[in-house]
Amino acid sequence: KPAKFLEGILLGGGGPYFDGVSFHTYDVYWGALGQYKMPNWNTAWDTTGPTVIAKAGFVKSVLTAYGFSGKFLMNTETAILCRSCSNDAIYETTKAYYVAQAYAAALAQGLRANVWYSVLGWQNSGLLNSDLSSRPAYTAFQFARSELRDATFVREITEYDHVKGYEFNRGDRRIWLLWSLDGASHPINLPGVPLAIYHVDGMPVPPVGSLTVTLEPLYLEWSP
């Protein structure tokens, strides 16, 4: 589509005749653990996080400029891609990290849907292998769903330098997701001891009042 396809619809008076906007976002693996970029959107693992944040923000800004801010948004294709990464364990781990980041970011942006493309994948984006066995990203996908299902976005967590984070309310729990935005390890002091802490694959971490945040996203559960 042309770069200003959506704006053209709005300029042409089409705003009242659609309910929502579907778009696609991808990031490209950048050859090291946890690293990805999308140069077309000036987004990267160590500056913005997943491209869905920038693209959703852009679509919202166009809709708002023409007085149609109430439209719903759906990201109907998303993934991290690597054409040459077949059987690359570091890429597969990065993909699992990316699943947690991208789904939390989509929820924070208020998207109605965020659809991984696809189960078997293209350019090694798959959640499953060709024999339908699970890749690490599928386990991360399952756990993200269990943690964030029915959750609502509360806020971005900004109190820790070089750490990206989101807080959600699931009703029975408040959920934090934290990861290092610059790749360094960051010791942080939490406001208390969480009820539980989990890796992206759902493996538990002993709850503590201070922890070190790395490239791997961590889920923290708190009392509501």
Side-chain angles (χ1 to χ4, degrees):
K1 299 293 190 298
K4 295 190 175 182
F5 177 77
L6 175 59
E7 189 172 5
I9 291 173
L10 298 170
L11 282 169
Y17 303 105
F18 64 93
D19 297 319
V21 178
S22 166
F23 59 89
H24 300 165
T25 65
Y26 289 97
D27 281 289
V28 176
Y29 177 57
W30 221 248
L33 181 66
Q35 297 189 15
Y36 54 83
K37 292 185 180 182
M38 180 46 68
N40 290 349
W41 284 90
N42 296 314
T43 54
W45 65 281
D46 58 348
T47 54
T48 61
T51 299
V52 64
I53 301 168
K55 198 160 189 180
F58 169 75
V59 173
K60 289 176 185 177
S61 70
V62 173
L63 291 169
T64 298
Y66 288 88
F68 293 100
S69 58
K71 306 292 187 182
F72 67 78
L73 304 185
M74 300 190 301
N75 187 13
T76 50
E77 288 187 21
T78 195
I80 184 172
L81 306 176
C82 182
R83 192 186 304 272
S84 61
C85 287
S86 181
N87 300 314
D88 185 322
I90 295 176
Y91 167 66
E92 293 297 334
T93 300
T94 298
K95 192 197 306 180
Y97 294 178
Y98 184 85
V99 165
Q101 295 176 15
Y103 276 88
L107 187 57
Q109 289 295 318
L111 271 58
R112 184 170 291 189
N114 191 57
V115 181
W116 190 269
Y117 192 81
S118 62
V119 172
L120 295 179
W122 69 293
Q123 295 191 26
N124 294 299
S125 70
L127 300 176
L128 302 179
N129 295 303
S130 58
D131 63 359
L132 303 186
S133 59
S134 298
R135 299 188 186 198
Y138 183 71
T139 305
F141 181 91
Q142 287 181 306
F143 192 68
R145 184 179 185 276
S146 70
E147 282 294 279
L148 300 178
R149 183 178 184 180
D150 299 325
T152 56
F153 174 64
V154 176
R155 67 183 180 105
E156 286 199 45
I157 297 168
T158 59
E159 49 263 50
Y160 306 113
D161 291 341
H162 309 296
V163 171
K164 191 161 185 70
Y166 297 108
E167 180 178 339
F168 303 95
N169 188 330
R170 199 177 65 194
D172 63 331
R173 294 284 191 275
R174 288 183 298 121
I175 308 294
W176 285 18
L177 184 72
L178 301 174
W179 72 90
S180 170
L181 191 59
D182 62 2
S185 297
H186 297 287
I188 64 171
N189 293 317
L190 299 170
V193 178
L195 298 174
I197 304 175
Y198 297 101
H199 293 291
V200 293
D201 61 0
M203 293 297 293
V205 177
V208 290
S210 60
L211 55 80
T212 299
V213 179
T214 68
L215 281 170
E216 181 188 5
L218 291 174
Y219 293 94
L220 285 66
E221 294 188 355
W222 305 87
S223 296

